Amino acid sequence: MKPVLLVIAHGSRDPRHAATVHALVRRVRSLRPDVRVETGFLDFNIPSVQGVLESLAAEGVRDVVALPLLLTRAFHAKADIPAVLRDAPPQLRIRQAEVLGPSPLLLSALERRLYEAGLTPADKSSTGVVLASAGSTDPEAIAVIADIAREWRHTGWCAVRPAFASAAALPRTEDAVRELRALGCAKVAVAPYVLAPGFLPDRIARGAAEADVLAQVLGPAPEVARVLLRRYATASARVLLPVSA
């Protein structure tokens, strides 16, 4: 039998977060009806990751792919999620999949959201884009966002600048918008590099007040679902080694 796919989301007090996660999971199920897909939250929402793992074990499930619903490999992927998985029922064989980003498919999803917000391909060469991430205290995650911005710039945009919503990293969204204005871009667009609505995405939106275009979060975009399934396939094919190896 195929491993159960357990999508692990952070969770939020904002009800839009869980609703968006569930919409993405429904899209994943529609693409792969042969794979059982469950959802667990680290905090704020139910079911908890631990609760789902215990339920699966009680049903007799043996193999699980735990997929962090994260765009960068920061603290949650490196510490929180592995800690929860270590406490899973011992009869479960769990593979932790890689985080979703970076991926060319996610860049396609970002462009989809910008075009849905009103841009056209003809605007590309005259439009500066703010790649607005939630931010992190992890320097690896910050570097990844900067790399994505540089890569995206080479696809034809006037300019692309990274920005961050949390207090842990700079620049802020509004500062990046002003920088692109100063560069002479005819239009400035903000592309939130986040999966679901919540406190930090709302801060990104406020920072985009002076921009011409604000895209929606990635949410259940088909490209995101495809990345998720690619990470599942890669993790499913990985051979589990003994703990002592």
Side-chain angles (χ1 to χ4, degrees):
M1 293 181 64
K2 294 180 176 65
V4 171
L5 169 56
L6 172 58
V7 176
I8 300 179
H10 182 272
S12 171
R13 292 186 178 89
D14 189 323
R16 297 173 298 167
H17 174 90
T20 302
V21 170
H22 290 311
L24 174 59
V25 169
R26 285 195 296 271
R27 185 179 287 275
V28 171
R29 288 183 179 131
S30 72
L31 293 174
R32 286 294 303 272
D34 59 318
V35 174
R36 179 176 175 181
V37 186
E38 299 291 344
T39 308
F41 295 91
L42 291 173
D43 205 354
F44 301 115
N45 303 106
I46 56 173
S48 68
V49 175
Q50 189 66 30
V52 175
L53 291 171
E54 290 173 357
S55 295
L56 292 173
E59 291 179 32
V61 170
R62 294 296 303 279
D63 292 298
V64 176
V65 168
L67 193 150
L69 197 60
L70 301 167
L71 294 172
T72 58
R73 183 173 153 73
F75 181 80
H76 294 304
K78 294 177 179 179
D80 284 353
I81 292 174
V84 172
L85 297 181
R86 282 194 296 270
D87 289 336
Q91 61 266 45
L92 292 176
R93 295 187 294 249
I94 302 176
R95 301 168 174 88
Q96 182 176 330
E98 293 298 325
V99 298
L100 300 183
S103 168
L105 281 171
L106 294 178
L107 288 181
S108 297
L110 287 166
E111 294 209 6
R112 169 196 290 274
R113 292 299 188 228
L114 286 171
Y115 295 146
E116 290 170 349
L119 290 180
T120 70
D123 296 319
K124 198 167 185 178
S125 63
S126 60
T127 300
V129 178
V130 177
L131 179 67
S133 168
S136 172
T137 57
D138 190 314
E140 177 187 348
I142 297 300
V144 166
I145 299 301
D147 288 343
I148 293 170
R150 282 191 291 270
E151 177 183 349
W152 204 15
R153 163 68 181 84
H154 294 313
T155 66
W157 296 101
C158 175
V160 180
R161 294 290 185 271
F164 306 95
S166 74
L170 294 173
R172 302 282 180 266
T173 302
E174 52 268 36
D175 296 329
V177 168
R178 291 170 189 144
E179 180 185 353
L180 291 172
R181 289 273 188 230
L183 282 175
C185 297
K187 290 184 178 180
V188 176
V190 174
Y193 189 59
V194 292
L195 287 166
F199 176 74
L200 291 177
D202 283 349
R203 182 177 288 176
I204 290 172
R206 290 193 297 272
E210 297 178 18
D212 300 292
V213 172
L214 170 63
Q216 295 298 309
V217 299
L218 293 172
E223 297 88 350
V224 177
R226 288 165 58 197
V227 174
L228 198 152
L229 286 171
R230 288 186 181 184
R231 299 291 185 258
Y232 167 78
T234 299
S236 297
R238 192 167 64 238
V239 175
L240 280 174
L241 299 175
V243 174
S244 60

